[in-house]
Amino acid sequence: MIDDELGPAGEVIKCYVSQQEKPYPNVIMQLLKRKLRRMQKKIVKASAKAKKKYEDYDWNAMFNDGSFTKQTVAVLDKYQRHHKLHSASNKKAIVSAVQRHITHQFIATSQQRKEKSDSDSRDESEIVAH
């Protein structure tokens, strides 16, 4: 019964229960099954997150809404590795490094856009003047 529902993990529960002096009532068995299912879901969710690549994340959106501070160190490490940033030792330092890098990129992009629009407007005024 347990083995069929939970697979290999059911064998672990069955072994544990058989080692006890008194068998568990059905209620406790149900609680153990629920706990095991939650653990399995958590593992599946974590493995799906681990399979994501740098390109799968919208880093600017996460920066703008502040959600990247809630990301795991593993996710933030993907950003660090991609941009070849110094690897920090704790989450606070990693978040700070990533924030600094995104801010510098934003500033550089803004300056490039401003310079481009200034040069475009100068080109248009030179054309009009001739």
Side-chain angles (χ1 to χ4, degrees):
M1 177 178 110
I2 295 172
D3 296 336
D4 297 338
E5 294 177 23
L6 301 175
E11 294 177 29
V12 173
I13 292 174
K14 186 176 178 183
C15 179
Y16 179 75
V17 169
S18 67
Q19 292 174 357
Q20 303 302 314
E21 291 180 16
K22 296 179 183 178
Y24 278 100
N26 285 337
V27 174
I28 295 176
M29 286 301 296
Q30 291 300 321
L31 291 173
L32 286 171
K33 288 178 187 178
R34 287 182 195 159
K35 182 176 182 178
L36 187 61
R37 284 189 197 112
R38 283 193 304 267
M39 289 175 17
Q40 289 172 335
K41 286 180 184 179
K42 188 175 181 180
I43 290 170
V44 168
K45 186 177 177 182
S47 67
K49 200 171 199 177
K51 289 178 184 176
K52 281 186 160 184
K53 295 182 178 156
Y54 169 85
E55 295 80 18
D56 297 332
Y57 293 95
D58 187 355
W59 296 101
N60 290 329
M62 284 195 296
F63 178 76
N64 289 333
D65 65 14
S67 66
F68 89 81
T69 58
K70 298 173 186 165
Q71 298 298 319
T72 62
V73 171
V75 172
L76 296 171
D77 278 343
K78 291 177 186 183
Y79 186 92
Q80 282 187 309
R81 282 192 301 271
H82 182 79
H83 291 283
K84 298 177 179 139
L85 300 177
H86 171 71
S87 204
S89 58
N90 61 21
K91 183 174 179 175
K92 188 175 181 179
I94 294 170
V95 168
S96 176
V98 172
Q99 279 179 326
R100 193 176 328 107
H101 188 262
I102 290 175
T103 304
H104 286 285
Q105 278 190 325
F106 180 73
I107 291 170
T109 304
S110 297
Q111 288 175 345
Q112 287 174 351
R113 287 180 184 157
K114 184 178 178 187
E115 290 171 2
K116 186 174 187 230
S117 67
D118 289 346
S119 68
D120 288 346
S121 61
R122 273 188 262 128
D123 291 343
E124 288 176 7
S125 64
E126 289 175 5
I127 293 172
V128 172
H130 289 288

